[in-house]
Amino acid sequence: LVTGDGQPKLLDFGIAKFLNPDFAVGGGPPTAPESRVMTPEYASPEQIRGDAISTATDIYALGVLLFELLTGRRPYDLKGLSPAAVERRVVEEGPSRPSTAVRGSDGSAEPRAEARRTTLERLGRRLKGDLDTIILKALHKEPGRRYESAAQLAEDVKRHARRLPVMAQPDSYGYRARTFVRRHAVGVAASAVIGITLVTGILATGYQANRANERFQDVRELSNALLFDLHDEMRDLPGATAARERLVSRALTYLDLLRQESSEDPALLLELATAYEQVGQIQGDPHYTNLGDLAGARASYLQGLELVEALWARDTTRRDVAHAYGRLLGRNSVVDSWAGGSTWETLGDRSLAILRPLHAARPDDDGVTHDLGRVLAEQGWFDAFEGDTETGLIVIREGIGLLEPLSDAGPDLEVRLDLWRAYTYELDALNFSTRIRETLERLETVALPHIENLAATHPNQPRVQYGMHVGYNYLGSALSRFDRNEEALAAHERSLEYAQRLVELNPSNQKGFEALSRSTQYLGELHRVLGEYPEALAAFNRASEIQRDMYAMNPDNASLGNQLALSDRWACRVLLAMGDYAAARDRCVAAAELQESVAEAGTGGRIYDGNLGSARAYAGDAYRGLAEAAHGLDERASLRAQALAWYERSQEALRPYDTLDLLWEVHPDSVAAKVRSLGGT
């Protein structure tokens, strides 16, 4: 119980008695030996049956409480039932899954969702999966199938909250079969007379070598069908991201089991490495529709890389192994860079060192040519991002030169999408080097027509829709640089439409939410340029809200942290323009602190350092504005000192980059002038 002043009081269930003596389960008065005193809604099957109780009984009660907390209802509705009906329902009938039960049929479902500040659909999805499994394990009919202790149950809840795999597992087919046999012993026994003959025949032949080999090959074919045929059929279906993950994970499980039987089979190990690659793409590779789990993608890609490295060490002459090795090195480079890692450059160089000779030996190998072109474009973008834009452009255009003939030669969507991404890398490199007019020209004449042609033939393909979002976002940003603001606004609004469609079609695809936040962010920036500050602030707040949720679930994603800091920084800039220095200070400081953690976590280079310097400079502006509005001399002096400290910290970030860079909102010279105006040096 909780008292009126909020103090919890623990009561001992052991002293409870029935107020209604007619309802003692067992039929007699509460003092009779055959009566079991309990609260039926919280009673376990063994309590209902009168069996011995143990700590497992307490686990069951905890499961009921957790069910009730999450769904607003209990596992069983026992109102108006007789003791016999209560016993039948609790002992024999399984509870509904929480994700299903929360919907209910009594009209109370919507208020329960609203009380949790969500919708009924989202609440059902939130409960589905691990939470269903955790609760149903705690509520298992058999005490031995429940959690061993309350601590174990609590640990699984904590693991779910941290997005880690839980210890509970759904019932297997084998367990269900054993349960069926126990419940229907007579019927099963009658069937056994016939079945035993079949079982004997299977056992007699099951251990023969040829039969074992046939089974091995059957499972292997099934795994490859799941991994390649069915997965490829589903790859481009809207809303299929989560289903693809389950499909590939199942194939991975099968292949892992086969690996235990034949750990020296190179072809099998190569298939297993490819399975890890597929899983990594779906988990969190930023270049694909994904579930937002960047750390999971890194782990899967690394496992695939370790497998092919071992194969490569055994035989460096196999072309298929070398190809897979180079490809997986490239995959690992991408996720490492997005996570702010420090090995992406080495991984990329190793990838190119393998793929280049393969391509030179057989230029007609389209698969190798495709992967080499993709990795070249990616590594060139990294060079440009780090400040070497000329080298970056050369490498990116080398990749484009390999991908364009492949794209022209056939309708392979993967090649054409990778070519589109290479075009965007080229646009970024041109933009980084402030070649704005060339950026717009290349966008309008080459890149945008390419993705629009893809959209004409693949209108519902998620990655094509994402490409359209990116394309119009680029267009809006480029047009605004030439004060073509009406056209820029139309482009950004169209980009937002594609982002919203991505989210609506597939809420599990984190690329959709990334697109939605980016479109909102850049639309807000255009409103700021036009002097429409309330609209700009609302857009930045919405973008940061989306990004904050995503970053909380995926704190390893340095790129996402950088985008969140950008939204906060741009909101701060609007608040400064509106003269709300207190709110601006809070937003600026939050942006600077987040940008610091992102910059320290990895190798963000000049872009991250420039963002950090800008955020710190804006924090200085906020404190300076507060100082000018202060009435007391002491308060004014304190605020000016804080402003000076932030400006000096801005200089620390910007000092290594003392050349004019139009990409930065704050130039080192302007910060130096502000430092001098406050008495600094």
Side-chain angles (χ1 to χ4, degrees), residues 208-221:
Q208 296 176 7
N210 62 336
R211 181 59 181 151
N213 184 62
E214 289 176 6
R215 173 190 169 280
F216 183 95
Q217 294 303 328
D218 286 345
V219 176
R220 185 169 176 177
E221 288 180 14

Side-chain angles (χ1 to χ4, degrees), residues 234-288:
M234 295 173 62
R235 180 190 291 271
D236 299 331
L237 293 178
T241 308
R244 287 168 53 213
E245 195 274 338
R246 290 194 295 272
L247 189 74
V248 176
S249 294
R250 182 60 56 87
L252 186 61
T253 299
Y254 292 157
L255 288 169
D256 249 334
L257 290 172
L258 293 182
R259 182 187 180 188
Q260 296 172 18
E261 299 181 31
S262 182
S263 60
E264 298 302 314
D265 184 343
L268 177 62
L269 294 177
L270 197 56
E271 291 165 10
L272 187 59
T274 304
Y276 279 118
E277 184 180 1
Q278 297 271 32
V279 171
Q281 285 183 15
I282 300 166
Q283 287 173 312
D285 189 313
H287 293 163
Y288 297 88

Side-chain angles (χ1 to χ4, degrees), residues 52 54 78 92 134 148 190 266 268 276 311 328 346 349 382 403 410 448 525 550 646 660 662-663 671:
S54 65
L78 304 180
E92 297 180 8
I134 290 170
E148 295 178 2
L268 177 62
Y276 279 118
L311 289 172
L328 274 159
T346 300
D349 289 343
F382 293 146
L403 293 171
L448 202 54
E525 176 61 6
M550 293 176 66
W646 278 106
L660 181 65
L662 297 181
L663 288 176
V671 180

Side-chain angles (χ1 to χ4, degrees), residues 17-33:
K17 292 183 180 180
F18 277 110
L19 296 179
N20 179 2
D22 295 332
F23 194 81
V25 178
T31 55

